[in-house]
Amino acid sequence: MKSSESTLVHTEAGSKVTGERKSKEAAKRRGLSKQAKDNLAGYLFISPWIIGFLGLTLGPLLFSLAASFTDYNITSKMNYIGLENYKRMFTMDDLFRTSLFNTLYYVIFSVPLTTAGAIILAVLLNQKIKGMKFFRTIYYLPAVLSGVAVYFLWMQLLSPSTGLVNTMLAWFGIDGPAWLFDPEWTKPALLLMKMWSVGGGMLLYLAIMQGVSPQMYEAADIEGASPWQKFFHITLPMISPIIFFDVITSTIGAFQIFQEAYVMTENGSGGPGNSLLFYNLHMWNNAFEIFDMGYASAMAWLLFIIVMILTAVNMKLGKRWVHYEGGDGK
């Protein structure tokens, strides 16, 4: 009796499996499976982005890579010249070295200053006092203003004779510099302007600071920790992922500085003594002033390599100091 029941169960299971297999085969014969249809629908929805990426990003990217090995100047046929454009950067173009130095100077000073400024400002604006929302709005406003309008505003503020900055310095008996007209002060002038617009970064830090558990600070108060100790041992570790993100994006953005020098110097010349001739401005002049597209493409790819290397270094070093709440450093 038991043997017949077992045989019946196996027979029913086998029939069920066979039926499922036959139904799947029948569905395949009828057309696409449900999973395939869902995949197709997904690709159709993202097809505008795929087409735009292939036509407007990947295509020009590959074209510029090919052009970097040629003497392409828009009007003539592209002639392959190998690594000559890359050799020219380091052996024949003195302005290349100047532009790279100016850019590195700006990156080295602007990234730490803006990051530290945004953190300090966020700490001050994270206090629970009356009217704090008003101050948060005021400090964030510069981050939403139009770039070109801001540059013209600062050109007026930094005017050696009538600018508000030198006027205020004169109140304290300080003879203000010529700023944008003095090669030694042009880059500090841009750093001053950059510090004025740290409100965007401040908003990121303020948001994550408000997400830090109050119990941590209460426990620190019980242990008798000072405000400085709470800042360095609680606040900084808890906001380190945002610091990491801000450092990487700020570094990439600083290497791409262009508009400030192009707008705030005469005819995009790079200022007095080429003190504001940044890498992107020099690349622009080669591409659209003398139409040496091959050389400009080579400059673009070298900048890409530099930024990628520094980003990789930041990613590697970030594992040592970035703290994640879940304890996973990946």
Side-chain angles (χ1 to χ4, degrees):
M1 186 69 178
K2 291 182 179 180
S3 176
S4 61
E5 289 179 356
S6 175
T7 303
L8 180 61
V9 170
H10 284 296
T11 303
E12 291 178 351
S15 300
K16 185 177 181 181
V17 171
T18 304
E20 291 178 352
R21 186 182 298 114
K22 289 181 178 179
S23 63
K24 289 181 179 180
E25 291 176 354
K28 288 181 180 179
R29 288 195 296 269
R30 287 196 301 269
L32 297 174
S33 65
K34 184 178 183 302
Q35 182 65 41
K37 290 179 180 179
D38 291 342
N39 292 341
L40 180 60
Y43 284 121
L44 287 175
F45 276 115
I46 66 173
S47 60
W49 180 88
I50 294 176
I51 295 172
F53 174 76
L54 294 176
L56 302 177
T57 302
L58 183 61
L61 193 68
L62 296 177
F63 178 82
S64 70
L65 178 60
S68 69
F69 299 103
T70 69
D71 59 355
Y72 180 53
N73 64 358
I74 299 179
T75 60
S76 64
K77 182 180 178 180
M78 299 173 64
N79 297 312
Y80 178 77
I81 58 174
L83 298 175
E84 290 302 317
N85 285 325
Y86 295 93
K87 293 179 182 178
R88 173 182 162 190
M89 287 185 221
F90 297 98
T91 60
M92 299 175 61
D93 188 359
D94 292 334
L95 292 180
F96 165 78
R97 291 188 288 271
T98 300
S99 66
L100 186 59
F101 169 79
N102 290 338
T103 304
L104 290 174
Y105 179 102
Y106 183 78
V107 171
I108 291 171
F109 285 97
S110 68
V111 174
L113 287 175
T114 55
T115 302
I119 293 173
I120 294 172
L121 191 58
V123 170
L124 295 176
L125 295 178
N126 195 35
Q127 308 303 314
K128 293 180 173 58
I129 60 177
K130 189 175 181 179
M132 188 56 68
K133 291 182 179 180
F134 170 77
F135 289 105
R136 292 172 183 171
T137 303
I138 293 298
Y139 280 107
Y140 180 70
L141 278 178
V144 300
L145 297 179
S146 172
V148 175
V150 169
Y151 306 149
F152 280 109
L153 170 64
W154 275 94
M155 289 172 67
Q156 297 297 321
L157 293 175
L158 296 173
S159 174
S161 56
T162 61
L164 182 61
V165 175
N166 280 0
T167 300
M168 294 178 64
L169 291 175
W171 295 346
F172 301 94
I174 301 174
D175 187 14
W179 296 111
L180 297 175
F181 298 94
D182 186 346
E184 294 183 359
W185 285 95
T186 51
K187 287 186 282 293
L190 292 192
L191 293 173
L192 177 64
M193 182 179 69
K194 186 68 176 178
M195 290 295 296
W196 178 72
S197 58
V198 296
M202 174 273 296
L203 195 64
L204 290 175
Y205 292 117
L206 182 62
I208 193 172
M209 283 180 187
Q210 293 185 345
V212 178
S213 175
Q215 285 76 17
M216 292 185 178
Y217 294 107
E218 292 173 1
D221 289 332
I222 294 174
E223 295 294 331
S226 66
W228 283 107
Q229 290 175 322
K230 288 188 288 185
F231 175 75
F232 284 106
H233 295 287
I234 298 178
T235 304
L236 277 183
M238 296 305 295
I239 68 173
S240 59
I242 296 298
I243 298 176
F244 180 59
F245 168 79
D246 189 27
V247 167
I248 289 180
T249 55
S250 297
T251 301
I252 295 173
F255 268 105
Q256 295 176 341
I257 181 173
F258 167 75
Q259 288 183 338
E260 294 88 335
Y262 185 74
V263 173
M264 301 177 73
T265 60
E266 186 177 358
N267 298 323
S269 60
N274 292 319
S275 57
L276 290 182
L277 183 66
F278 294 112
Y279 193 95
N280 273 9
L281 181 58
H282 184 43
M283 181 169 60
W284 166 275
N285 290 336
N286 277 284
F288 299 105
E289 293 294 332
I290 61 177
F291 298 104
D292 194 349
M293 287 292 181
Y295 184 63
S297 297
M299 289 187 64
W301 275 95
L302 179 64
L303 179 63
F304 173 76
I305 293 171
I306 293 173
V307 171
M308 286 296 293
I309 291 174
L310 289 178
T311 302
V313 171
N314 279 329
M315 296 290 287
K316 188 71 174 178
L317 295 178
K319 297 179 181 179
R320 300 183 179 181
W321 60 272
V322 178
H323 170 80
Y324 294 94
E325 192 170 356
D328 187 359
K330 296 181 181 179

